[in-house]
Amino acid sequence: MSKAISLFSQKATIPTNILVQELGGEIVILNLDNESYYSLNKVGSKMWELLKENENLETITQQLLRIYNVEEKVLRQDIAILIDELVAEGLLTLHS
């Protein structure tokens, strides 16, 4: 099984040490553990917004495909990269 397939079968949760604020249509995230700020562009912000409603990454991907005119393969690659970065920075936790 490839990494992308296994990623999309998982759920993502936002840890309790994370504060989030919407500013000008983008999301700004503060990790309270290391006091680092992160920002997400429009598509990343929409993904984050959808994450608050549904932890299932496949469901979120399907919702984003309906919203944005983009090839599914490209969107999945972009989401995988973003999720990997968010997990590495402690901003998301993945689980089955």
Side-chain angles (χ1 to χ4, degrees), residues 45-62:
S45 294
K46 186 62 177 178
M47 185 201 74
W48 189 274
E49 181 182 309
L50 293 170
L51 257 174
K52 293 187 301 183
E53 300 167 8
N54 188 329
E55 299 175 348
N56 184 293
L57 292 175
E58 181 61 37
T59 301
I60 291 167
T61 301
Q62 293 304 316

Side-chain angles (χ1 to χ4, degrees), residues 19-23 26-30 37-40 45:
L19 292 179
V20 179
Q21 181 68 44
E22 187 272 327
L23 294 170
E26 295 187 353
I27 297 289
V28 176
I29 305 167
L30 170 63
Y37 284 93
Y38 306 87
S39 64
L40 299 176
S45 294

Side-chain angles (χ1 to χ4, degrees), residues 41-93:
N41 65 19
K42 185 177 178 179
V43 177
S45 294
K46 186 62 177 178
M47 185 201 74
W48 189 274
E49 181 182 309
L50 293 170
L51 257 174
K52 293 187 301 183
E53 300 167 8
N54 188 329
E55 299 175 348
N56 184 293
L57 292 175
E58 181 61 37
T59 301
I60 291 167
T61 301
Q62 293 304 316
Q63 290 173 317
L64 289 170
L65 281 169
R66 286 190 291 274
I67 295 168
Y68 297 105
N69 183 23
V70 64
E71 288 184 41
E72 184 171 353
K73 181 179 178 180
V74 172
L75 180 64
R76 286 183 182 278
Q77 289 172 342
D78 291 348
I79 289 174
I81 291 167
L82 178 57
I83 294 293
D84 284 347
E85 290 174 1
L86 293 172
V87 169
E89 295 296 333
L91 305 175
L92 282 180
T93 304

